[in-house]
Amino acid sequence: MKNMQAARALSALGHETRLAIFRVLVQAGPDGMAAGDIARRLDLAPNALSFHLKDLTYAGLAVSRQSGRFVIYSAVFPAMTGLVDYLTENCCGGADCAVTPPTRGKLRSTGSQTVSATSPRRKVAGSSSRNSKNRSKK
Amino acid sequence: MKNMQAARALSALGHETRLAIFRVLVQAGPDGMAAGDIARRLDLAPNALSFHLKDLTYAGLAVSRQSGRFVIYSAVFPAMTGLVDYLTENCCGGADCAVTPPTRGKLRSTGSQTVSATSPRRKVAGSSSRNSKNRSKK
DNA sequence: TTCATATTTCAACAGTAATTGAAATATTGA
DNA sequence: TCAATATTTCAATTACTGTTGAAATATGAA
């Protein structure tokens, strides 16, 4: 997942209302849920809901399909999976991110334990690289 | 992790510059990195960097400590872990979210294969709570 | 066709976030 | 103390986001 794409998804979810909408869609499962039902469930004005759904759709987190006079929205699960993977791979310290208390999992550390699918990297602080010039922006 | 807290963290990371800053902090590891080094690394104006670091700090994703005349920032790993857990538990369809093809990680599936450092948990959608009336907002 | 339901679009407005340059503050070293 | 470096704060401006109410569009039912 590209940085920009990740930022877009994170930004879309970084709003309480949209996060709530997305959670409802996740709960609804692959069958999705009609816009009106979502609106009722969250007590949102239909136009406000539409506004946020557009955002989630643009971010690739939701899709819609028409069904009679209803528009059914559903969560795009691979997008969320991709986002979680992105965060795990790029934004976690190393070994144990995303694992938290292995409580139940007791990932019996057979030999090369802590493989962690996660960060193999670790460029470390170092740096103070004198590079420059390219004021990146969106 | 509460919804509001998650939304705040997601929102903080939902900006390309801040996402880049956070990634640099993650790479820097627990020792952190001086603000100036981050600024040079990403070619950001110092005041712009300060602005975004404040945001990340407010979201609980970064902390700072003074060291001589430098201010060292570092990523708050548990916050990211918590966020990934939140997404895995609340925003993933079910079973296989966050696992995806273990491709890269070559986590040699010794017995309890597919441990994948990632999602051990899995509360799944469930929940619901038929509540209503409360036009929530930020 | 006409009506009712479902959803989106539009426009105005309010509010918040981001960018910039300049100035302020703090710490170290001469 | 003075100068240099490091970082933050401030203020002005611009850009973007979210909210609201009203209107438009679309589908199905009477």
Side-chain angles (χ1 to χ4, degrees):
Chain A
M1 179 177 257
K2 250 181 78 275
N3 293 335
M4 215 192 92
Q5 195 189 344
R8 189 167 293 157
L10 290 165
S11 172
L13 294 173
H15 185 278
E16 283 202 85
T17 302
R18 280 191 296 269
L19 186 54
I21 293 170
F22 187 75
R23 302 220 305 153
V24 165
L25 290 182
V26 166
Q27 286 169 22
D31 290 346
M33 192 178 226
D37 287 338
I38 303 170
R40 270 183 293 280
R41 171 89 168 265
L42 298 174
D43 190 29
L44 291 170
N47 55 347
L49 175 69
S50 209
F51 173 85
H52 292 302
L53 280 173
K54 200 162 78 175
D55 220 72
L56 288 169
T57 300
Y58 177 64
L61 291 164
V63 284
S64 64
R65 63 180 202 278
Q66 186 100 22
S67 172
R69 57 178 153 172
F70 301 91
V71 177
I72 311 293
Y73 280 86
S74 39
V76 175
F77 294 98
M80 178 46 74
T81 302
L83 180 60
V84 169
D85 285 351
Y86 174 93
L87 293 176
T88 303
E89 289 167 23
N90 297 279
C91 300
C92 287
D96 30 37
C97 170
V99 174
T100 35
T103 342
R104 176 187 67 281
K106 87 281 300 302
L107 12 152
R108 93 287 301 299
S109 41
T110 35
S112 73
Q113 45 74 257
T114 333
V115 171
S116 97
T118 316
S119 76
R121 69 206 105 309
R122 173 140 306 143
K123 269 63 168 288
V124 182
S127 84
S128 75
S129 60
R130 199 98 311 151
N131 71 346
S132 56
K133 267 67 263 174
N134 84 314
R135 196 150 289 220
S136 64
K137 252 332 46 98
K138 48 194 62 169
Chain B
M1 179 179 256
K2 249 178 78 280
N3 293 335
M4 215 191 92
Q5 195 189 342
R8 188 168 292 156
L10 289 165
S11 170
L13 294 173
H15 185 278
E16 283 202 84
T17 303
R18 280 190 299 268
L19 185 55
I21 294 169
F22 188 75
R23 302 221 303 153
V24 165
L25 290 181
V26 166
Q27 285 168 23
D31 292 345
M33 192 180 227
D37 285 338
I38 303 171
R40 270 183 294 280
R41 173 88 167 263
L42 297 174
D43 190 31
L44 291 170
N47 54 348
L49 175 70
S50 210
F51 174 84
H52 292 301
L53 280 172
K54 201 163 77 175
D55 221 72
L56 287 169
T57 301
Y58 178 63
L61 291 165
V63 284
S64 64
R65 62 179 203 278
Q66 187 100 23
S67 173
R69 58 176 150 171
F70 301 90
V71 177
I72 312 293
Y73 279 86
S74 39
V76 174
F77 294 99
M80 179 46 74
T81 302
L83 180 59
V84 169
D85 285 351
Y86 174 92
L87 292 177
T88 303
E89 289 168 22
N90 297 280
C91 300
C92 287
D96 31 36
C97 172
V99 174
T100 38
T103 336
R104 175 188 64 283
K106 88 279 300 302
L107 14 148
R108 94 282 305 301
S109 42
T110 34
S112 72
Q113 44 73 258
T114 331
V115 171
S116 99
T118 317
S119 78
R121 70 205 93 305
R122 181 143 306 145
K123 262 67 165 294
V124 185
S127 84
S128 74
S129 72
R130 196 100 312 138
N131 68 348
S132 57
K133 267 66 261 182
N134 80 315
R135 199 150 289 222
S136 64
K137 248 346 29 111
K138 50 197 60 163

